[in-house]
Structures are given as structure tokens and as C-alpha cells.
């Protein structure tokens, strides 16, 4: 496998875009990434796009062809779907494409246009990423599934309602400086506790929102990337799977898919979890950030709430998490999220993040699909693998 680097990034603002179609957003993000990479569209040799449900949300399928056509790139173009992990699946497969030597330059896009349908329809479409027969059909939404995990975590480990709220408070604090974020207002623990109940114990401010947005990045093989202005190297990638239905899992409070994906990515990158300077995790609901911190090994099982309360995930903490606002404040256009996470790690490593850390060397993103049936982890570094 050859070394591969990210050489250009671009995204739309995340939020409600009444005036833009999914095609408009793909063009905006894709061309921004090409410009940032300082290449021509004709230099791109393959296209990978992640999207969960453009058919239901925007009436548009065949998204690989749509993206290639709209961007003026007549190259092999493929769409990837893995619920909220769709963007990272596209990224991982593009990485393999370039690392294997098949192509030297690929574009990765993530896109979702969720607000053109009414709220209940958006939530029904999301629920289709769970088990249709055993979960969605009885009215179990994703908020409902994560509420079950939160309740079990609180029961088994004493995690408090306040600790869940602190996850959202941290994400909102980090989102204030991010001009691409859907919500840029700070919130307090009290605000979270007083927000309306969505699925007990989860409240409105524990939830990621419904969002439109697209994100894109350009990757290149080592021989080309070495000439790029500011390459960020992909050091490892891992993917894991678990049962699609929550009730079939050995545990409601951990995600085996995350553990599998992280183990593979860390082993390929040849680094330890404690070498990381920051991470992007999948905070679709506040409880998922706590579970992710435990599954990735930043703290012991059951201690995630305390880890958050002690300030470890703060921008100046032991492991800064979601330094630009995460899914909660940044927004969660599901197919775009994994690509957006990768972009924010790349920006930190290039030194142009809106909340820049001092001299980071390594970063990781964790993108989860459904209630944990799919997980993808990617690791990035300032220096290439030797
Ligand atoms: N955080 C903060 N504010 C939010 C919000 C969120 N997650 N979601 C909506 N809002 C705000 C809106 O901006 C709006 O504010 P305004 O009145 O000042 O304009 C207000 O709340 C009402 O918005 P609306 O769109 O009517 O909300 P809703 O009640 O229909 O939906 C949720 C709220 C939480 C149910 C919905 O966002 C949701 O289902 N989120 C989870 C999405 C999900 O499951 N993703 C997949 C993860 S696996």
C-alpha cells in the first residue's frame, strides 16, 4: 500500500439551505476542495460519495453519476451508504483506491439534504437505518434507541443527567467560532436540562439536529502529495460491524464495531490511542460521545461521564473532542458528517482550524452508522508513515 495524503478540503455551511439543491451543495463543496488542493478538475481520477438517503430526502438517486456530471469529472464514480457512517465509508474506500495504486488522485464527497421533507418524515427516513421489522416498525426512532442506551448507562454506572448535558455544553462552546456550524450559541447545563424531552432521558439539547450540507476533500498518492502545499497524511483506517438491532447486542452500553474499527486503524497507523492530540467523535446524541470515549479507551468502561465532568474533553483538556462543535452544534447532514469530521482533523493538523490547537501531530475521527451497526475510524498525521 502506498502513502496517501489529503491535499484539499471544502464544505458548505451546515444548516437549513432552502435555496440550494443537493446538486448545488455537491458542486459548492467539491469545487472548494479542488481549489484548495490547487489542482484542476481534470486531475481527479476517481470519485467517491457518501450519502444515506437522497432518494427519500431529495428524490434523487444515482448520486455518483450526478456528482461526476455536475462537477465535470468523467471518472469512475461510486456512492456509499452506511447510514450516518456513509461519508467515512466513501473516504475509506477512496483511501484504499489510491493506496492500492489504482488511481493517483481521488475526490471524496459527503452530502445530505434533509430539510426539504417535514420533520416526522425526516425522522422516519432516519429510522430506516435501524432494523425496520424489529425497531422502526414499532415506532423506535434513533432518539429512542440512544435513550435506551443512556438509561442503561445511567442505571449500570451512575452516569448523571448533568454529565450528559456537559457533552452538549462542550460541543456548543466549540461551535461558536465555527462559521460553518449550524448553531453558534453557547449553552449551559441548565439550558440542556430545561429543554424539551425528545425521548426520556434525552432532551432537545442532547440531540444533533436535522441538517443540509456537503463536504469534500481531495486525496493523492505520495508521489503527487509530496509536491502539495500542506499535505496531511492518512495513517490508518478501520471498519467494524455489529448487529443492526440494538436488542441483539451483548451490551447496550458499548459498541463492538467502534472497538474493532479503532483497533484496526491504530494498528495500521502504528500509534497508541494516547498519542492522539484530538479526536472527532460521533455525538449524534450526547450519550454516544460518552460511550465513544470508553470504547476508544480514553477511560474505563462506565467512567465516561466522570471523564467529561472532569474537563478532559475540553479544548485545553487531556484529549480535545469535537473542537469545531461536533454533530450537536456543527450539524449532522448524515452522509456528509464523516467527511466533515475528516476535514476538521485535517485543518487542525494543517494549522488552520477555527479553534487551533498548539502543534498537533495526530488526530482521529470516529463515524458511527445507526445505533452502532457500522463504525469507521480514520487516523491522520502531519508526517507520512515510514
Ligand atoms: N439542537 C438545538 N436546537 C434545535 C435542535 C437541536 N438538535 N433541533 C431543532 N432545534 C431548534 C430549531 O432551530 C428550532 O428553533 P427556532 O424555533 O428558534 O427556529 C426549534 O428547535 C424547533 O425546530 P424543529 O425543526 O421544529 O425541531 P423538531 O422538534 O422537529 O426536531 C429533534 C428536533 C431533536 C427531534 C430533531 O432534530 C431530531 O430528530 N434530531 C435527531 C436526528 C437524528 O436522529 N439523527 C441521526 C442520528 S443517529
Amino acid at each position: 500500500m502506498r502513502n496517501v495524503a489529503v491535499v484539499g478540503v471544502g464544505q458548505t455551511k451546515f444548516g437549513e439551505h432552502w435555496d440550494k439543491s443537493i446538486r448545488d451543495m455537491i458542486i459548492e463543496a467539491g469545487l472548494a476542495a479542488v481549489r484548495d488542493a490547487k489542482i484542476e478538475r481534470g486531475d481527479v481520477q476517481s470519485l467517491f460519495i457518501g450519502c444515506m438517503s437522497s432518494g427519500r430526502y431529495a428524490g434523487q438517486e444515482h448520486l455518483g453519476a450526478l456528482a461526476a456530471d455536475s462537477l465535470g469529472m468523467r471518472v469512475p464514480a461510486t456512492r456509499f451508504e452506511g447510514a450516518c457512517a456513509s461519508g467515512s465509508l466513501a473516504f475509506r474506500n477512496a483511501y484504499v483506491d489510491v493506496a492500492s495504486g489504482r488511481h493517483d488522485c481521488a475526490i471524496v464527497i459527503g452530502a445530505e439534504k434533509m430539510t426539504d421533507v417535514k420533520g416526522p418524515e425526516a425522522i422516519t427516513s432516519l429510522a430506516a437505518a435501524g432494523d425496520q421489522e424489529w425497531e422502526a416498525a414499532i415506532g423506535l426512532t434513533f432518539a429512542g434507541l440512544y435513550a435506551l442506551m443512556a438509561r442503561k448507562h445511567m442505571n449500570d454506572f451512575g452516569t448523571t443527567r448533568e454529565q450528559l448535558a456537559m457533552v452538549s455544553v462542550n460541543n456548543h462552546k466549540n461551535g461558536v467560532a465555527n462559521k460553518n456550524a449550524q448553531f453558534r450559541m453557547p449553552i449551559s447545563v441548565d439550558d440542556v436540562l430545561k429543554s424539551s424531552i425528545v425521548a426520556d432521558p434525552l432532551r432537545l439539547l442532547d440531540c444533533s439536529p436535522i441538517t443540509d450540507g456537503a463536504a469534500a476533500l481531495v486525496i493523492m498518492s505520495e508521489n503527487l502529495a509530496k509536491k502539495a502545499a500542506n499535505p496531511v497524511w492518512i495513517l490508518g483506517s478501520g471498519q467494524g460491524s455489529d448487529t443492526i438491532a440494538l436488542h441483539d447486542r451483548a451490551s447496550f452500553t458499548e459498541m463492538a464495531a467502534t472497538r474493532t474499527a479503532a483497533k484496526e486503524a491504530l494498528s495500521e497507523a502504528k500509534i497508541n490511542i494516547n498519542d492522539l492530540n484530538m479526536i472527532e467523535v460521533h455525538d449524534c446524541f450526547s450519550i454516544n460521545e460518552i460511550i465513544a470515549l470508553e470504547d476508544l479507551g480514553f477511560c474505563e468502561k462506565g467512567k465516561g461521564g466522570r471523564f467529561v465532568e472532569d474537563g478532559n474533553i475540553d479544548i485545553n483538556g487531556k484529549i480535545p473532542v469535537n473542537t469545531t462543535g461536533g454533530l450537536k452544534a456543527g450539524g449532522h447532514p448524515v452522509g456528509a458528517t464523516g467527511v466533515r469530521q475528516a476535514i476538521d482533523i485535517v485543518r487542525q493538523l494543517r494549522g488552520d482550524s477555527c479553534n487551533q490547537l498548539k502543534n498537533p501531530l495526530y488526530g482521529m475521527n470516529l463515524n458511527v452508522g445507526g445505533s452502532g451497526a457500522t463504525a469507521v475510524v480514520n487516523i491522520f498525521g502531519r508526517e507520512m508513515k515510514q
Side-chain angles (χ1 to χ4, degrees):
M1 297 270 272
R2 305 185 293 178
N3 281 317
V4 179
V6 178
V7 296
V9 301
Q11 72 166 97
T12 66
K13 183 176 163 30
F14 282 7
E16 291 186 22
H17 291 305
W18 301 110
D19 55 339
K20 289 178 188 165
S21 66
I22 191 162
R23 183 202 308 259
D24 294 334
M25 295 192 301
I26 288 169
I27 294 173
E28 186 180 328
L31 291 185
V34 166
R35 268 196 309 276
D36 189 53
K38 298 189 175 48
I39 59 167
E40 301 296 326
R41 278 184 278 184
D43 296 328
V44 173
Q45 298 168 350
S46 54
L47 183 153
F48 298 76
I49 183 161
C51 180
M52 178 185 152
S53 207
S54 56
R56 294 178 79 141
Y57 285 126
Q60 176 71 60
E61 304 288 16
H62 207 176
L63 225 52
L66 179 91
D69 180 23
S70 307
L71 287 165
M73 297 172 181
R74 296 286 185 273
V75 296
T78 314
R79 171 188 175 170
F80 290 80
E81 189 276 309
C84 304
S86 301
S88 284
L89 286 182
F91 178 84
R92 177 173 152 82
N93 281 278
Y95 167 53
V96 172
D97 178 62
V98 175
S100 72
R102 171 71 68 180
H103 295 110
D104 283 320
C105 178
I107 188 162
V108 187
I109 303 164
E112 208 78 57
K113 177 85 173 102
M114 302 174 77
T115 69
D116 284 356
V117 297
K118 292 199 168 67
E121 215 177 317
I123 290 167
T124 305
S125 299
L126 284 168
D131 189 314
Q132 182 61 34
E133 285 178 67
W134 290 98
E135 293 175 334
I138 55 162
L140 201 40
T141 62
F142 271 99
L145 287 163
Y146 280 94
L148 289 171
M149 296 184 216
R151 188 53 83 197
K152 184 85 173 114
H153 209 281
M154 292 165 90
N155 181 70
D156 290 0
F157 306 115
T159 303
T160 65
R161 218 356 304 199
E162 286 74 12
Q163 289 168 342
L164 291 172
M166 286 169 200
V167 169
S168 299
V169 169
N170 190 59
N171 283 313
H172 269 262
K173 187 177 73 176
N174 291 347
V176 172
N178 180 1
K179 66 178 175 35
N180 291 319
Q182 184 161 358
F183 299 120
R184 300 184 64 188
M185 77 288 191
I187 56 171
S188 65
V189 168
D190 209 38
D191 291 333
V192 183
L193 301 186
K194 285 187 178 146
S195 62
S196 46
I197 287 191
V198 173
D200 188 48
L202 299 179
R203 293 172 175 268
L204 179 71
L205 292 178
D206 289 292
C207 304
S208 58
I210 303 291
T211 311
D212 303 329
L217 43 80
V218 174
I219 62 173
M220 278 180 182
S221 57
E222 178 179 332
N223 50 326
L224 296 180
K226 273 201 219 152
K227 296 174 210 145
N230 213 346
V232 168
W233 299 91
I234 306 167
L235 303 184
S237 177
Q239 183 178 340
S241 294
D242 202 347
T243 65
I244 191 156
L246 184 63
H247 65 254
D248 283 330
R249 306 258 169 88
S251 164
F252 272 28
T253 56
E254 61 186 61
M255 291 189 185
T258 296
R259 290 171 181 244
T260 307
K263 195 170 166 205
E264 183 188 356
L266 286 164
S267 151
E268 188 188 349
K270 297 192 176 57
I271 64 166
N272 295 313
I273 196 80
N274 292 322
D275 293 327
L276 293 164
N277 301 108
M278 74 275 170
I279 54 169
E280 288 286 322
V281 301
H282 197 93
D283 59 303
C284 52
F285 298 95
S286 52
I287 182 62
N288 203 25
E289 186 162 324
I290 287 177
I291 290 176
L293 290 165
E294 295 171 0
D295 287 337
L296 291 172
F298 288 103
C299 58
E300 276 174 50
K301 182 78 232 149
K303 301 276 174 60
R306 166 61 64 181
F307 189 79
V308 170
E309 187 173 356
D310 288 346
N312 290 299
I313 64 168
D314 188 85
I315 202 110
N316 300 310
K318 183 173 166 193
I319 180 71
V321 180
N322 294 351
T323 62
T324 60
L327 285 58
K328 172 66 203 78
H332 184 26
V334 287
T337 285
V339 181
R340 192 279 307 157
Q341 290 180 321
I343 288 177
D344 283 329
I345 294 288
V346 167
R347 285 197 185 285
Q348 281 288 0
L349 293 169
R350 317 203 293 200
D352 63 4
S353 171
C354 60
N355 279 323
Q356 186 58 49
L357 300 169
K358 205 170 158 218
N359 240 357
L361 291 177
Y362 300 109
M364 164 196 269
N365 83 302
L366 163 64
N367 192 194
V368 173
S371 61
T374 303
V376 182
V377 167
N378 299 300
I379 296 177
F380 303 83
R382 273 228 308 269
E383 304 293 332
M384 79 171 92
K385 261 187 311 196
Q386 295 308 318

